[in-house]
Amino acid sequence: MLLIRPITTADFAALKQIAVESGPGFTSLPVHDERLQHKIAHASHSFNVDVSAPGDHGYLFVLEDCNTGEIVGTTGIEAAVGLHTPLYHFQQNTVIHHSAELNVLNQLKTLTLCNDYTGASEICTLFLRESYRRNHAGRFLSKVRFLFMAEHPQRFSDIVIAEMRGATNAEGKPPFWNWLQNLFLTIDFPTADKLIGVGKKAFIAELMPRHPIYVGLLPTEAQQVIGQVHENTKPALKMLEKEGFKHRGYIDLFDAGPTVEARLQDIRSVALSRRVPVTIKEVRGERTLAVANTALSEFRASFGKNAQFDEQQQQLQISAELAAALQLAEGDFARFINLD
């Protein structure tokens, strides 16, 4: 059985190994002991504090293989981004240059540095070890965040975003980065990536262009990847699009990957999730369900066909094994969503 639960200090070594495996570009998990320890401590505080409105809180979960005790994945939510450390994007716009005398009308695309998503909630830090990328596990890691948000909506913003990794070349470097490096930053991508990962973002405001940039002046290879996702990220983007997330023109500063957004209550898995009482019985359902308890610091979630919804009784029937894993007793409430 695979189980999602809040991260603890005992998971540090596993989280660091995941940070190593995730590779460059995965800035939410830097290979940096102090930063990772801070993320765990911050998550522990967030899960244990009373909250009436979204603030500087982060919820980091781990996926545990109950058969081996191994941590095989992670997923997270930031309640409100940019409140203390600015969150920067380029916003894509179109400006009109028109001369009536010459009968010339030019529509030119621009990129403008902005902080428009300050205060939004962000789903982030999703990583699943390759050997477990099967049988709904990746979908579960993504959707479990929506179950948690549906159960605790007061902790999150009305707007939810997800930053998607941008396209890279054969060497694994983002083509969009080169022109920035040459003209403005004069540091290599790994260095910038590491600085972002450990929260040192002041150089962005200090060195990045402050005025709109005409896209047509960029190298062709940089223009071609604006708003494009990394090949490995396409499945994740497709999944979020099915949830109702849309790209509204905001891109990452360094790899030009799209940031997508949705209103919390409009996210498909939030809207379709059901909160119902449970009854414990041995069951083999026809559908694969993701099931979560309604706790906060003791949040637990799992998935499989060992649960089924009784439409007539308006109850969720779950096996004794699943009930024990989710710390649920007969009559307790659970929230579920169909993964098929």
Side-chain angles (χ1 to χ4, degrees), residues 68 76 133 165 175 188 232:
T68 65
R133 295 174 189 174
R165 186 177 179 184
D188 59 22
N232 294 343

Side-chain angles (χ1 to χ4, degrees), residues 246-316:
K246 298 182 183 300
H247 181 215
R248 303 197 184 279
Y250 294 88
I251 64 169
D252 184 79
L253 297 185
F254 298 149
D255 64 19
T259 290
V260 294
E261 67 171 81
R263 295 179 69 88
L264 176 59
Q265 297 304 319
D266 293 338
I267 297 172
R268 188 171 183 270
S269 289
V270 171
L272 294 181
S273 68
R274 300 282 297 272
R275 189 181 195 269
V276 294
V278 302
T279 181
I280 300 174
K281 61 182 295 186
E282 292 311 307
V283 61
R284 181 69 179 177
E286 296 180 356
R287 298 178 176 180
T288 303
L289 301 183
V291 182
N293 66 19
T294 59
L296 186 63
S297 62
E298 297 299 322
F299 179 81
R300 298 290 187 275
S302 189
F303 72 99
K305 293 187 176 181
N306 49 355
Q308 69 176 7
F309 181 57
D310 186 331
E311 191 77 41
Q312 184 176 1
Q313 297 295 324
Q314 292 292 295
Q315 292 181 336
L316 185 67

